[in-house]
Structures are given as C-alpha cells and as structure tokens.
Amino acid sequence: MSKKNKDIEVRVEETKKRVNGQEIDVTQLFIGKKMIGEVLTNDAKHFEIFMDNESQGVFKTLDEALESVIRQWNLHD
C-alpha cells in the first residue's frame, strides 16, 4: 500500500520587526495557522532564517531562504 502525497498550502506574510533598535523586514511562513519559520532581510544579499527562535543559516536570495525553511520543516515535522 502506498501513501498518496497531499498538497500542503504554505502562506507567506511580510511584516516588520524591531530588532536591536532597527526595523527589519521579516517574511513569515505559515502552514495552516502554525508559523514554521521566519526570514529576516538583513540587506539585499543576506537573508537569515529562524525556526523556533534559533538561527538556521544565511542565504543569498529570499527564494533560497524560503526553500530551506520548508525543507527543514518537512524533515523535522
């Protein structure tokens, strides 16, 4: 018996957060109502991902960062 893959809806929301006195653009990823990770935009080429309030790495593009959040969530949940 094989499992069928089911589609999972990932929602992306952009917001701003105050970190160390600076306002930073933050992209939040949600599956259902659960936030699975955040991407902080440090500058045009540094996108740092956070999952469970822990830094998980820095990426050169927003797409790479979002993909990494989804991959890591998929491995651990």
Side-chain angles (χ1 to χ4, degrees):
M1 193 187 275
S2 67
K3 278 185 162 182
K4 287 187 179 182
N5 290 338
K6 66 178 183 176
D7 291 336
I8 297 174
E9 185 179 330
V10 176
R11 189 174 80 245
V12 177
E13 292 184 8
E14 293 186 14
T15 187
K16 294 197 180 278
K17 223 180 209 184
R18 188 165 290 282
V19 178
N20 296 330
Q22 285 187 302
E23 202 165 273
I24 297 176
D25 291 328
V26 178
T27 304
Q28 299 175 326
L29 276 80
F30 292 87
I31 292 184
K33 293 183 179 185
K34 180 181 179 186
M35 184 173 60
I36 62 168
E38 295 180 305
V39 179
L40 275 62
T41 305
N42 295 329
D43 58 45
K45 292 190 178 183
H46 292 96
F47 299 89
E48 186 172 7
I49 65 171
F50 284 85
M51 296 179 75
D52 296 325
N53 294 322
E54 290 184 27
S55 176
Q56 300 292 319
V58 178
F59 296 85
K60 291 183 180 180
T61 68
L62 179 60
D63 287 342
E64 287 176 357
L66 294 174
E67 189 175 317
S68 181
V69 170
I70 294 168
R71 266 198 215 127
Q72 288 186 38
W73 174 81
N74 204 18
L75 288 173
H76 297 289
D77 251 15

